[in-house]
Amino acid sequence: MVSDREAQSGPQEYRLGHLLQHAQAKLARKSAEALVPYGVDGRELAVLVVLADEETLSQAEAAGRLGVDRTTMVALVDGLEDHGLVERRRDPQDRRRNIVRLTDAGLVCLERAEEARRAAERRFLAPLDEQAAAALLRALRMLVVEEPTVK
């Protein structure tokens, strides 16, 4: 076990930032490898996930949900559209808006790629027992997603 003192002033491999950065990089590599057969990368898969959550989303709304700028979103949607996974349509109520929807092929790709991503995540967490893996995920959600409670 690493003491608090070692973690504060010890080698790099004991520092939280270093550990989180390298864990994320390792998980990203494993996830990318798992997605290769489906022809999408992690960012493209995130677009498919966001589009599947809503019936109609504009390109700009999807970009906002993903936290990417509009230019990046255009490039992502262009690539997905080129592969037949999404389609753009003008919003009939507002011709300035592009609605982006999953195609049937996009839905199939999403389901298969998500299963592959989940399997890669399970393999990444395999060194931890089920309880430790669940605790890690809960702790990360508390740090990243949930609003902190002020005491």
Side-chain angles (χ1 to χ4, degrees), residues 12-110:
Q12 188 75 358
E13 62 267 14
Y14 293 133
R15 295 177 184 219
L16 178 61
H18 175 83
L19 293 169
L20 289 172
Q21 180 182 20
H22 285 272
Q24 191 281 329
K26 183 176 180 180
L27 178 59
R29 279 192 310 277
K30 298 294 183 187
S31 295
E33 291 167 8
L35 294 177
V36 166
Y38 307 99
V40 293
D41 63 23
R43 288 171 33 144
E44 291 166 328
L45 181 57
V47 173
L48 297 178
V49 168
V50 164
L51 294 177
D53 282 347
E54 297 284 333
E55 244 181 70
T56 58
L57 269 182
S58 73
Q59 213 166 270
E61 290 166 333
R65 299 232 173 118
L66 290 167
V68 300
D69 62 67
R70 290 178 184 209
T71 304
T72 300
M73 190 66 187
V74 168
L76 287 166
V77 171
D78 284 348
L80 292 168
E81 191 174 40
D82 290 346
H83 289 95
L85 302 177
V86 301
E87 63 183 7
R88 277 186 188 110
R89 303 251 184 221
R90 289 277 180 215
D91 183 341
Q93 276 71 44
D94 183 352
R95 304 242 343 123
R96 297 168 295 173
R97 272 180 84 204
N98 278 322
I99 300 297
V100 185
R101 295 185 0 193
L102 290 178
T103 62
D104 289 342
L107 187 56
V108 169
C109 178
L110 169 63

Side-chain angles (χ1 to χ4, degrees), residues 133-151:
L136 173 62
L137 293 172
R138 272 192 313 275
L140 290 171
R141 271 193 293 278
M142 286 176 65
L143 292 171
V144 175
V145 178
E146 296 177 9
E147 289 293 318
T149 54
V150 179
K151 291 184 178 185

